[in-house]
Amino acid sequence: MNAQPERRLLFLLLRIIAVFLAFWATGPGQARGDTGAADQTLAPYFFIPGEAGGADTMPLKSTTVEVKVAGVVADVRIRQVYRNAGAVPLEAVYLFPGSTRAAVYGMEMRIGERVLKAQVQERTEARRTYETAKAEGKRGSLLEQQRPNVFQMNVANILPGEEVAVDLRYTEPLIPEAGEYAFVFPTVVGPRYGGRHPAGALPPQQAWVSNPYLAEGVPSPATFDITVDLATGIPIQNLQSPSHKIKPEFHGEARASIALLPGEPPGNDRDFILKYRLADRKIEAGLLLSREEKENFFALMVEPPRRITPAQIPPREYTFVVDVSGSMSGFPLETAKALFRELAAGLRPVDRFNVLQFSGGNSLLSPTALAATPENLRRACDTLDREHGGGGTELLPALERVLSLPADEAASRSIVVITDGYVSCEPEAFELIGRSLNRANLFAFGIGSSVNRFLIEGMARAGHGEPFIVTHPREVREEVAKFVKYVSAPVLTRIAVSTPGFDTYEVEPRSVPDLLGERPLVIFGKWRGEARGEIVLKGMAGDGEWVHRVPVAEAVPVSESRALAHLWARSRIATLSDQIALGSGDTKERVREVTSLGLTYNLLTAYTSFVAVDATPARQSGELTTAKQPLPLPQGVSANAVGASAIGGSLPTTPEPETWAMLALLAAIIAWNYWMRKGRSCA
């Protein structure tokens, strides 16, 4: 008897069992960042509904946002309400995004009628204070910054049936682009790919990356509401929200209140965006001044000059770095292709280009830049069109490769990175760009309903370029056209700032980068003495020297308490954080300075946190269950963004004993049957 077919069947069945066991052993464990496997993936995973010992697995019940815009400064209050609907005491952990320009300056915890004001402490001290309170059964809340646009809230000892509210306060400047203002409130943190790590080497500072997500198409059970009080001082025009349906009410020409349209879904799976223009495209305030008890602050916003003529544009070289990973499938990747085609259509024969695609690996269209001929451009389009999205997001190797390419010294070189930014290697990317960029400008184009703005804006800042973001398919044509116009030519270079007659110090940024589009210059600083003299800006435009003078006597006073102080400190912290990421100077001294700024100006930073503790214990003993609030997938992001952990999303996280017994019995039966048949055939 021929035993080959039976042997092949046996090996096939055993391999199926081995794969099944390997999935149990490594799949869910890797997705959750366990350290048992030899090669771990630090990545998000899908939330699996099921028994949790009577605990409430989704304690966040509502988020309410109140925004007050006065001129070009927004002040925001966020209220998060946590309720324990389970049967055991609870610690709630919630990951949420914020604006990259936000200066978070206050937090309060509300328990019934009691209001507890949080204190800012050095990060490790704040964590220690919170953990001690949690262990002692006291209610406590801790706010930590994981990234400048990603925050984590911990609320401890919420008793069954109890409700705890946490209020956050932040301020941010509103900076117009091409004469249009935009207030953006991010609502959900997109899934971050944390890369692979050896066993036991998972970075603790990246643990937040493995936050759970709801399955694709499942909305968040938490409610969301936002209102905006807009007072500009100049008539408002073209008020709209490209992200949500809104109900605006005008109170005169220069004031409006905006609310979400009643009856609509909460829309907390995408950024809330409010856009408007002011009459005659005028920037509302050129120079803002504030006097305080110990220090005085100023903020300067200056509209750039007109662009140079096409005849003055030198030969250009563009390198496109396109993310084709799983989270980019669908609208983001199609937008990336459209962006390339639109920019390619404007290239001249003297221009050159190249394309690098990346996901888990990367591939380059050509070892060197290609002439922008119709044949070469068609080849690039065909290559991109074959991509549909899949795999991880290995950004750093892609950047390393493209930054090492030879460059034409005579050409104006631009690198265009197109991604949703769902990675957790932001500091490493900034350091790499700053160290290796040489003479190029780097533009970052973010695509998706909840883009990682910290990465997109940080890469552009490190690369002396500008960030662009598309959150919805209907914005593609307009934003792509704006981007193409923006990168086609420089606007202003070699910018210098002087302040004759006006005693200024600690000005941010300390060196003004090239201005490359229709966005004003924004400068923060401190001043002493009398408010007199002027601020003079000089630079080189395409048609010669450009000079702009701002009389200090015409400045607009700011009455909002400490707004400019917070914004100056936030700007200084951003500069120091870039230097820390780039490894420039004394890193320890930079960290000490950021910590000092956070403590002095009562700000949330990477090294300072807010903590509030109720002195009265809520419980004396017993176990405390920790629940990580699962997040909805951002609108338009598929399950591919979560990766392998999505497989078998309805399966339990570890196999039951009965499952092991069933598999062992099945393997034994197969083996016994095979050997019995083999024995009979030999006889």
Side-chain angles (χ1 to χ4, degrees):
M1 177 180 176
N2 186 359
Q4 283 298 113
E6 292 182 1
R7 185 178 292 113
R8 285 197 296 267
L9 177 61
L10 170 65
F11 289 156
L12 176 61
L13 291 171
L14 289 176
R15 286 185 68 182
I16 291 173
I17 293 172
V19 170
F20 187 65
L21 293 177
F23 167 74
W24 282 122
T26 62
Q30 285 184 358
R32 286 155 179 76
D34 299 338
T35 57
D39 187 23
Q40 304 280 333
T41 297
L42 189 63
Y45 60 95
F46 278 134
F47 171 71
I48 310 299
E51 294 298 323
D56 184 358
T57 53
M58 289 185 272
L60 178 70
K61 301 308 174 188
S62 67
T63 297
T64 305
V65 184
E66 295 179 2
V67 185
K68 295 185 183 300
V69 176
V72 294
V73 177
D75 191 73
V76 182
R77 190 192 78 168
I78 307 170
R79 172 164 292 183
Q80 299 169 353
V81 176
Y82 300 87
R83 188 173 189 279
N84 185 353
V88 296
L90 188 68
E91 177 192 27
V93 181
Y94 176 48
L95 198 69
F96 62 100
S99 167
T100 54
R101 291 195 290 258
V104 182
Y105 65 84
M107 183 178 92
E108 293 178 343
M109 182 170 65
R110 297 171 179 268
I111 310 159
E113 298 298 319
R114 299 200 311 283
V115 178
L116 303 173
K117 187 174 182 179
Q119 303 298 316
V120 65
Q121 297 179 359
E122 190 273 328
R123 182 167 181 147
T124 55
E125 180 185 354
R127 169 60 72 171
R128 194 181 310 117
T129 300
Y130 171 79
E131 293 293 346
T132 300
K134 182 174 75 171
E136 293 175 351
K138 298 176 181 177
R139 300 177 188 86
S141 58
L142 174 70
L143 177 65
E144 294 176 312
Q145 175 182 300
Q146 305 296 1
R147 291 288 188 269
N149 66 331
V150 178
F151 309 129
Q152 180 174 303
M153 179 70 72
N154 289 54
V155 183
N157 291 305
I158 309 174
L159 298 183
E162 190 174 54
E163 193 170 272
V164 174
V166 180
D167 288 0
L168 311 179
R169 299 293 297 268
Y170 75 80
T171 187
E172 70 168 314
L174 300 183
I175 301 171
E177 296 181 35
E180 183 176 63
Y181 289 82
F183 171 78
V184 178
F185 182 81
T187 65
V188 64
V189 177
R192 302 291 197 267
Y193 175 71
R196 306 193 73 82
H197 303 270
L202 297 178
Q205 69 272 20
Q206 289 193 31
W208 63 272
V209 172
S210 60
N211 198 81
Y213 279 80
L214 299 170
E216 185 177 358
V218 177
S220 170
T223 62
F224 170 74
D225 192 33
I226 185 168
T227 58
V228 181
D229 182 18
L230 189 60
T232 61
I234 292 176
I236 302 167
Q237 298 180 343
N238 302 329
L239 179 66
Q240 59 162 317
S241 172
S243 61
H244 292 68
K245 293 183 178 180
I246 59 172
K247 181 183 178 183
E249 292 185 9
F250 283 86
H251 313 285
E253 292 184 327
R255 184 159 188 174
S257 56
I258 298 95
L260 296 177
L261 191 66
E264 289 295 313
N268 52 353
D269 60 349
R270 58 193 183 275
D271 296 351
F272 172 83
I273 303 172
L274 183 69
K275 293 185 175 183
Y276 59 94
R277 292 181 180 272
L278 300 180
D280 300 323
R281 289 183 48 152
K282 181 180 177 183
I283 293 177
E284 193 276 337
L287 179 63
L288 305 177
L289 294 182
S290 72
R291 286 185 180 271
E292 301 204 14
E293 186 177 343
K294 296 181 179 179
E295 299 173 304
N296 304 324
F297 297 87
F298 75 87
L300 174 67
M301 193 179 295
V302 180
E303 192 168 11
R306 289 180 296 180
R307 306 176 66 83
I308 64 176
T309 62
Q312 296 171 296
I313 301 173
R316 300 164 298 181
E317 180 184 308
Y318 292 103
T319 304
F320 299 86
V321 183
V322 184
D323 181 354
V324 294
S325 65
S327 62
M328 288 286 289
S329 63
F331 141 67
L333 187 52
E334 294 308 310
T335 302
K337 296 173 184 177
L339 173 61
F340 174 79
R341 286 191 291 267
E342 189 73 20
L343 191 53
L347 295 181
R348 305 165 299 175
V350 295
D351 298 329
R352 301 175 69 82
F353 78 99
N354 210 335
V355 179
L356 183 140
Q357 301 173 140
F358 74 95
S359 54
N362 60 71
S363 62
L364 195 62
L365 182 66
S366 171
T368 58
L370 298 170
T373 64
E375 284 180 67
N376 287 334
L377 292 171
R378 188 162 45 248
R379 174 186 164 197
C381 289
D382 291 343
T383 302
L384 282 172
D385 285 341
R386 287 194 291 270
E387 291 292 341
H388 301 287
T393 313
E394 293 289 352
L395 174 64
L396 291 179
L399 289 176
E400 286 174 352
R401 188 172 183 183
V402 79
L403 289 169
S404 66
L405 293 174
D408 182 354
E409 292 296 322
S412 172
R413 188 182 181 211
S414 295
I415 297 171
V416 183
V417 182
I418 307 172
T419 180
D420 53 17
Y422 291 165
V423 296
S424 60
C425 59
E426 296 99 331
E428 294 86 349
F430 304 158
E431 189 275 334
L432 177 61
I433 293 168
R435 170 167 45 85
S436 311
L437 192 63
N438 200 1
R439 288 180 53 255
N441 291 305
L442 186 143
F443 297 89
F445 201 101
I447 307 171
S449 60
S450 294
V451 168
N452 181 1
R453 293 172 183 264
F454 174 45
L455 177 75
I456 300 301
E457 295 177 11
M459 286 196 300
R461 190 167 59 243
H464 308 299
E466 288 292 338
F468 290 82
I469 292 174
V470 170
T471 60
H472 194 278
R474 64 173 170 263
E475 302 172 2
V476 171
R477 184 179 297 275
E478 178 184 353
E479 200 67 21
V480 166
K482 183 167 67 175
F483 175 79
V484 170
K485 181 181 178 183
Y486 210 104
V487 303
S488 295
V491 173
L492 199 64
T493 61
R494 288 182 278 170
I495 301 172
V497 182
S498 61
T499 58
F502 185 40
D503 188 4
T504 62
Y505 63 105
E506 295 190 29
V507 177
E508 293 294 333
R510 297 189 177 182
S511 61
V512 181
D514 290 353
L515 186 63
L516 300 167
E518 298 176 354
R519 174 181 291 189
L521 295 171
V522 180
I523 299 173
F524 295 98
K526 300 179 182 179
W527 59 281
R528 292 178 284 244
E530 298 299 319
R532 61 188 180 189
E534 61 183 4
I535 300 178
V536 181
L537 294 98
K538 294 183 179 181
M540 292 301 298
D543 53 358
E545 187 180 43
W546 174 83
V547 180
H548 187 83
R549 301 177 185 276
V550 182
V552 175
E554 297 178 6
V556 177
V558 176
S559 58
E560 183 67 31
S561 176
R562 306 223 74 193
L564 293 190
H566 291 143
L567 295 179
W568 171 85
R570 188 70 186 85
S571 180
R572 178 63 182 150
I573 289 168
T575 298
L576 291 168
S577 299
D578 286 347
Q579 293 170 350
I580 292 169
L582 296 173
S584 62
D586 186 340
T587 298
K588 290 184 179 179
E589 178 58 32
R590 304 255 191 275
V591 170
R592 281 193 290 270
E593 189 174 349
V594 171
T595 304
S596 176
L597 286 166
L599 296 174
T600 302
Y601 293 95
N602 206 61
L603 294 178
L604 181 70
T605 73
Y607 311 103
T608 55
S609 304
F610 281 100
V611 62
V613 173
D614 187 1
T616 305
R619 62 182 179 90
Q620 300 300 323
S621 61
E623 293 296 321
L624 182 68
T625 299
T626 297
K628 286 188 175 182
Q629 179 82 19
L631 305 176
L633 280 175
Q635 184 184 63
V637 174
S638 74
N640 291 336
V642 177
S645 53
I647 300 173
S650 61
L651 296 174
T653 56
T654 56
E656 299 293 335
E658 295 84 354
T659 305
W660 287 110
M662 180 186 70
L663 292 171
L665 178 60
L666 179 59
I669 291 172
I670 294 171
W672 177 82
N673 183 60
Y674 170 74
W675 290 112
M676 287 296 292
R677 287 177 177 271
K678 182 179 179 183
R680 285 197 299 271
S681 65
C682 292

